[in-house]
Amino acid sequence: MSARAGIVVTGTEVLAGRVRDRNGPWLADRLSELGIDLAHITICGDRPADVEAQLRFLTSEGVDLVVTSGGLGPTADDLTAEVVGRFQGRDSIVDEELERRIAAVVEPLLKRWRGLDQAAIEASARKQATIPAGADVLGPAGTAPGLVVPPADGRAGPTVLVLPGPPRELHATWHEAVASETFGAAVAGRSRYEHRMLRLIGIPESEIAETLRVGEERIDGLDTLEVTTCLRRGELEVAVRYEPPAEPAWEGLLALVRERHAPQLFSDDGTSVDEQVATLLRESGATVAVAESCTGGELAGRLSGPAGASAYFAGGIVAYADEAKTSLLDVDPALIARHGAVSPQVASAMAAGAVRRFGASAAVAVTGVAGPGGGTEEKPVGYVCFAARLADERELARDLVIPGERAEVRDRSTTLGMHVLRRLLLGAPAPT
Amino acid sequence: MSARAGIVVTGTEVLAGRVRDRNGPWLADRLSELGIDLAHITICGDRPADVEAQLRFLTSEGVDLVVTSGGLGPTADDLTAEVVGRFQGRDSIVDEELERRIAAVVEPLLKRWRGLDQAAIEASARKQATIPAGADVLGPAGTAPGLVVPPADGRAGPTVLVLPGPPRELHATWHEAVASETFGAAVAGRSRYEHRMLRLIGIPESEIAETLRVGEERIDGLDTLEVTTCLRRGELEVAVRYEPPAEPAWEGLLALVRERHAPQLFSDDGTSVDEQVATLLRESGATVAVAESCTGGELAGRLSGPAGASAYFAGGIVAYADEAKTSLLDVDPALIARHGAVSPQVASAMAAGAVRRFGASAAVAVTGVAGPGGGTEEKPVGYVCFAARLADERELARDLVIPGERAEVRDRSTTLGMHVLRRLLLGAPAPT
């Protein structure tokens, strides 16, 4: 029986969807690594009554640990520390030593701004130094400290880990919290889990559902694996979690997926296509360039995203207008006139142009109709052509119609572009 | 008193952070537009007991409406319809007419795949046609129907709106649901809200906190405004929600922010900097090109994102390697040697090169140290230089150190690039 946890994300801006919550997913990963079973993530606004209701709910669900994110800022609507303290039966006190530390943190930041109000700064520091009596103080990594708040003596219920909302501050205080005794005590006696991830491209979810049904007959203990599948950016992810004794069942499932979906399975070690492409480029010493139209720079952005990308990423040309395809990628205007700017022929010429213009050992090109306008009967919205090419002129091409709205077509096109490049670097055929 | 609602997002892949939830925020916006007060969003995995616990929690919080997202797929872990039916005291039945409609939807999709298992398809259709007796059926927009499930006769509690997880299907079924009588009955007697959004650049949150403190003294009824502030992609957003009688208080707050933060306030009508730049370009008939280094294509991606971008977006050059800056943007190698690739001088030369190479009427350039490597004492990680330039050589420049990790530096650099371009197009000075 592993420890159970809940996550409480506070902030009207998150609840209202005006800002995306990055902390819930990040904390879910960390809890999972520790073998702590995450039961619920709850999101509410800045109303103390709603935060308290969620703490009550998670307590009633018997979780051992609650992690809160946000509501530690300097503004009047930042109330998490106060609400958690009250819920745990602890008074609020001003930690003056902490107040001094916060002031010291703010000091250098002030230099970045002009004409700040000194009273505002001091009021903020004092507010952020007001914490539940007896709580462990973490950080502050920024200006807001994290807090480990166990129930007051003689009370039952989960320990509440109060973390700041800004991701960098949350990450830093989390790692400090995990090292603390109070945290360890709260989640003592947890069991360990193994995590595996399979990634496939070019396969519908129903096919994996059928493979799992087949597996139930063929594989002993398949039901001891927690298997979840999801479609993500055009790829199918199959995540598997299990306790160590179920290893043989996992191996049986892996063998079955390899048997039934070999051409579609591109990752069974947790690596993403982005990581695989980065590794292939780094290890081969190849450099890569991008020539893109409908993806508008997103494919270059994805290739240049990883730290260290400058070792292999030469650059890219976003040839949105036809003149740019001609003047910057040397695409023959006659070719565009004959086949259209969205055609396998032009994609191939764009890739060749990118190899030449950047002096790169490889290039990937994409041209398509992202929509909402520009579709025709022959080339509807979502029709996208890919070409990946090596300096020695070996080439891999693919064209298809991608369903979805403009943003989805662009996003899935970047994913497919990565896969076409990966297959070329591996010397494999194009993805289906 | 407005109707209150809760959102239940199901899916182990969402809970585990492997897939980002887009539906919670989208539903939050729709509820807000209807003046329905969203109290909680809760996320859980595919364990029926956890889904049920969340339904119990929201019911105990007295919400009038619960909207669920996900768990209607063809796989065995898709259990939402069954759990909600049981919670509302309704039996599960197979709706055979619905089963036929789902089969008809699947038919054309099958053509996209090879060698599908017919039994898998039929099992999926039957599962997705199994619904709570007496529920209203919505769609299906894809293969999964939406459901409006009121409590069984004689029971109290919220009506549960069960929607499919894929965003496009969720959007379609939502609009159908809102038109239904059952939905209207559940949220009858709601009050209307006004929504306003202020966006500022180059200002810390504590300054707005102070302005709100000043406002409390100066503005009657400021406390009738629900004000939330959040930092987002380097911008500060101030969201304000109020019932119509509080309009004068909103006007007072707007006047105060204009008075205290005029140079930083760039939007008071809800428009984003991306929308403002798109409008400025569309209305002026200008075309724009991008020359970028550390942002690796993300700035071009952002400019080309909006539908209709092809009217003004000429293209971009991602000059990651210095040779690319020279060969594709005509940056003098001596300039790079003298000032370094990350310098205001090179940024300016890159912008000039982009204007010339694309024959554009404007260009924006960014070069910087995204990190984690490459920082020096003089030019640390996060040091970024911007230049925006018109064909007539008018230019706006800005350089600063952006805090954060590689991804944040890249992301905030795209935001600042948009602002430098905006100021240039407006003939305003560079953002602070």
Side-chain angles (χ1 to χ4, degrees):
Chain A
M1 172 59 182
S2 64
R4 288 183 96 220
I7 295 173
V8 173
V9 177
T10 69
T12 302
E13 64 276 17
V14 177
L15 181 68
R18 283 189 300 273
V19 64
R20 164 185 168 193
D21 171 44
R22 287 191 169 74
N23 294 335
W26 188 87
L27 289 167
D29 277 346
R30 300 293 80 69
L31 290 166
S32 175
E33 287 166 1
L34 292 173
I36 298 170
D37 185 14
L38 175 61
H40 304 276
I41 297 177
T42 65
I43 306 172
C44 66
D46 300 317
R47 278 179 296 216
D50 292 339
V51 179
E52 243 175 285
Q54 295 190 343
L55 294 171
R56 267 199 315 277
F57 164 61
L58 293 170
T59 303
S60 72
E61 285 297 293
V63 301
D64 307 286
L65 176 73
V66 174
V67 185
T68 74
S69 150
L72 299 180
T75 57
D77 58 19
D78 292 305
L79 293 160
T80 307
E82 183 187 332
V83 171
V84 169
R86 191 165 55 233
F87 183 80
Q88 297 290 57
R90 297 178 178 274
D91 301 330
S92 283
I93 58 160
V94 174
D95 181 330
E96 293 182 345
E97 196 274 330
L98 174 61
E99 188 177 6
R100 278 189 294 276
R101 258 154 58 212
I102 291 171
V105 173
V106 174
E107 190 67 48
L109 299 179
L110 298 186
K111 299 198 174 70
R112 285 183 51 215
W113 310 100
R114 301 160 196 159
L116 287 197
D117 181 312
Q118 191 58 31
I121 307 303
E122 283 163 15
S124 299
R126 190 159 192 83
K127 180 190 166 312
Q128 294 186 295
T130 306
I131 62 170
D136 295 359
V137 176
L138 311 166
T143 60
L147 301 165
V148 186
V149 190
D153 299 347
R155 286 191 167 220
T159 289
V160 182
L161 178 53
V162 179
L163 301 179
R168 251 169 322 130
E169 300 180 29
L170 178 125
H171 300 174
T173 41
W174 163 265
H175 292 298
E176 194 181 336
V178 169
S180 76
E181 266 181 34
T182 330
F183 181 95
V187 300
R190 58 187 182 245
S191 57
R192 312 267 318 119
Y193 285 94
E194 299 294 332
H195 298 80
R196 300 281 185 264
M197 173 72 80
L198 302 176
R199 293 193 168 92
L200 302 91
I201 182 81
I203 179 173
E205 203 167 4
S206 63
E207 283 294 283
I208 284 294
E210 179 61 16
T211 296
L212 290 170
R213 276 189 282 269
V214 169
E216 279 163 18
E217 294 151 25
R218 287 210 213 153
I219 302 167
D220 287 348
L222 187 72
D223 57 355
T224 62
L225 306 178
E226 184 186 307
V227 181
T228 56
T229 64
C230 85
L231 287 166
R232 183 180 187 181
R233 306 189 78 179
E235 297 171 351
L236 182 64
E237 292 187 344
V238 181
V240 184
R241 189 176 93 143
Y242 57 89
E243 297 190 34
E247 185 71 22
W250 153 250
E251 281 162 9
L253 176 61
L254 177 58
L256 183 64
V257 172
R258 283 180 174 152
E259 170 196 323
R260 290 171 61 99
H261 310 295
Q264 292 82 26
L265 178 68
F266 70 88
S267 172
D268 59 14
D269 62 359
T271 56
S272 66
V273 67
D274 294 27
E275 291 164 341
Q276 291 180 5
V277 165
T279 305
L280 286 165
L281 290 165
R282 213 179 295 107
E283 292 179 351
S284 65
T287 59
V288 67
V290 179
E292 55 192 314
S293 177
C294 61
T295 47
E298 293 187 356
L299 185 51
R302 206 158 147 181
L303 270 165
S304 62
S310 49
Y312 54 81
F313 180 69
I317 289 173
V318 184
Y320 221 61
D322 287 353
E323 311 74 64
K325 295 183 179 71
T326 302
S327 66
L328 291 165
L329 290 165
D330 313 313
V331 177
D332 181 350
L335 197 70
I336 297 176
R338 194 170 331 118
H339 303 285
V342 178
S343 60
Q345 295 83 350
V346 168
S348 172
M350 289 168 67
V355 166
R356 190 166 47 249
R357 287 299 189 109
F358 286 93
S361 38
V364 56
V366 51
T367 177
V369 187
T376 64
E377 176 120 0
E378 186 204 0
K379 295 174 180 177
V381 168
Y383 178 64
V384 185
C385 304
F386 301 87
R389 189 180 174 97
L390 299 176
D392 66 11
E393 302 194 351
R394 258 180 301 155
E395 185 174 300
L396 214 56
R398 173 98 169 93
D399 68 310
L400 77 166
V401 175
I402 296 173
E405 297 148 357
R406 179 179 176 85
E408 291 171 284
V409 169
R410 280 163 58 100
D411 187 51
R412 293 182 189 181
S413 296
T414 61
T415 300
L416 260 172
M418 298 297 290
H419 279 280
V420 174
L421 176 59
R422 171 182 171 273
R423 300 269 185 135
L424 178 74
L425 296 170
L426 285 172
T432 53
Chain B
M1 172 58 184
S2 64
R4 289 182 95 220
I7 296 173
V8 173
V9 177
T10 69
T12 302
E13 64 276 16
V14 177
L15 182 68
R18 284 190 298 274
V19 64
R20 164 185 168 195
D21 171 46
R22 287 190 169 72
N23 294 335
W26 187 87
L27 290 167
D29 277 347
R30 300 292 79 68
L31 290 167
S32 176
E33 287 167 1
L34 292 174
I36 298 171
D37 185 12
L38 175 61
H40 304 275
I41 297 177
T42 65
I43 306 172
C44 65
D46 300 317
R47 278 180 294 218
D50 292 338
V51 180
E52 241 175 288
Q54 295 189 344
L55 294 171
R56 267 199 314 277
F57 164 60
L58 293 171
T59 302
S60 71
E61 285 297 294
V63 301
D64 307 286
L65 177 73
V66 173
V67 185
T68 74
S69 150
L72 299 179
T75 56
D77 56 20
D78 293 304
L79 294 159
T80 307
E82 183 187 331
V83 171
V84 168
R86 191 164 56 230
F87 183 79
Q88 297 290 57
R90 297 177 178 274
D91 301 330
S92 283
I93 57 157
V94 174
D95 181 329
E96 293 183 347
E97 196 274 331
L98 174 61
E99 187 176 7
R100 278 188 294 275
R101 259 152 60 210
I102 292 172
V105 173
V106 174
E107 190 68 47
L109 299 178
L110 299 185
K111 298 198 173 70
R112 283 183 52 214
W113 310 102
R114 300 160 197 159
L116 286 196
D117 181 311
Q118 192 57 31
I121 308 303
E122 283 163 15
S124 299
R126 191 160 191 81
K127 176 185 169 317
Q128 295 186 294
T130 305
I131 63 170
D136 294 0
V137 176
L138 311 165
T143 59
L147 302 165
V148 187
V149 190
D153 299 346
R155 286 190 167 221
T159 288
V160 182
L161 178 53
V162 179
L163 301 179
R168 255 167 318 132
E169 300 180 31
L170 178 124
H171 300 173
T173 40
W174 164 265
H175 293 297
E176 193 179 338
V178 169
S180 75
E181 264 181 36
T182 328
F183 181 95
V187 300
R190 59 187 180 245
S191 58
R192 304 261 314 106
Y193 286 94
E194 299 295 332
H195 298 81
R196 300 282 184 260
M197 174 72 80
L198 302 175
R199 292 192 168 92
L200 301 91
I201 182 80
I203 179 173
E205 204 168 3
S206 62
E207 283 294 283
I208 283 293
E210 180 60 16
T211 295
L212 290 171
R213 276 188 283 268
V214 169
E216 280 163 19
E217 293 150 24
R218 288 208 212 155
I219 303 168
D220 287 349
L222 188 72
D223 57 355
T224 62
L225 306 179
E226 185 186 308
V227 181
T228 56
T229 64
C230 84
L231 287 167
R232 183 179 185 182
R233 305 188 80 179
E235 296 171 350
L236 181 64
E237 291 188 343
V238 182
V240 184
R241 190 177 93 145
Y242 57 90
E243 296 190 34
E247 185 73 21
W250 153 250
E251 282 160 9
L253 176 61
L254 177 58
L256 184 63
V257 172
R258 283 180 174 151
E259 170 196 325
R260 291 171 61 98
H261 309 296
Q264 292 83 28
L265 178 67
F266 70 89
S267 172
D268 60 13
D269 61 359
T271 56
S272 66
V273 66
D274 294 26
E275 290 163 342
Q276 291 181 5
V277 165
T279 304
L280 286 164
L281 289 166
R282 214 180 293 106
E283 291 178 352
S284 65
T287 59
V288 67
V290 179
E292 55 193 315
S293 178
C294 61
T295 47
E298 292 186 359
L299 185 50
R302 208 159 146 180
L303 270 166
S304 62
S310 50
Y312 53 79
F313 180 68
I317 290 173
V318 184
Y320 221 62
D322 288 352
E323 310 73 63
K325 295 182 179 74
T326 302
S327 65
L328 292 166
L329 289 165
D330 313 314
V331 177
D332 181 352
L335 197 70
I336 298 177
R338 195 172 328 117
H339 303 286
V342 178
S343 61
Q345 294 85 351
V346 168
S348 172
M350 289 168 69
V355 165
R356 190 165 48 251
R357 287 299 188 108
F358 287 94
S361 39
V364 56
V366 51
T367 176
V369 187
T376 65
E377 176 118 1
E378 186 205 359
K379 295 174 181 177
V381 168
Y383 177 65
V384 184
C385 304
F386 301 87
R389 189 179 173 98
L390 298 177
D392 66 13
E393 303 196 349
R394 259 180 302 156
E395 184 173 301
L396 216 56
R398 172 99 169 92
D399 67 310
L400 77 166
V401 176
I402 296 172
E405 297 149 359
R406 179 179 176 86
E408 290 170 286
V409 170
R410 280 163 58 102
D411 187 52
R412 294 183 189 180
S413 295
T414 61
T415 300
L416 260 171
M418 297 298 290
H419 279 280
V420 174
L421 177 59
R422 171 182 170 272
R423 300 272 184 131
L424 178 73
L425 295 171
L426 285 172
T432 54

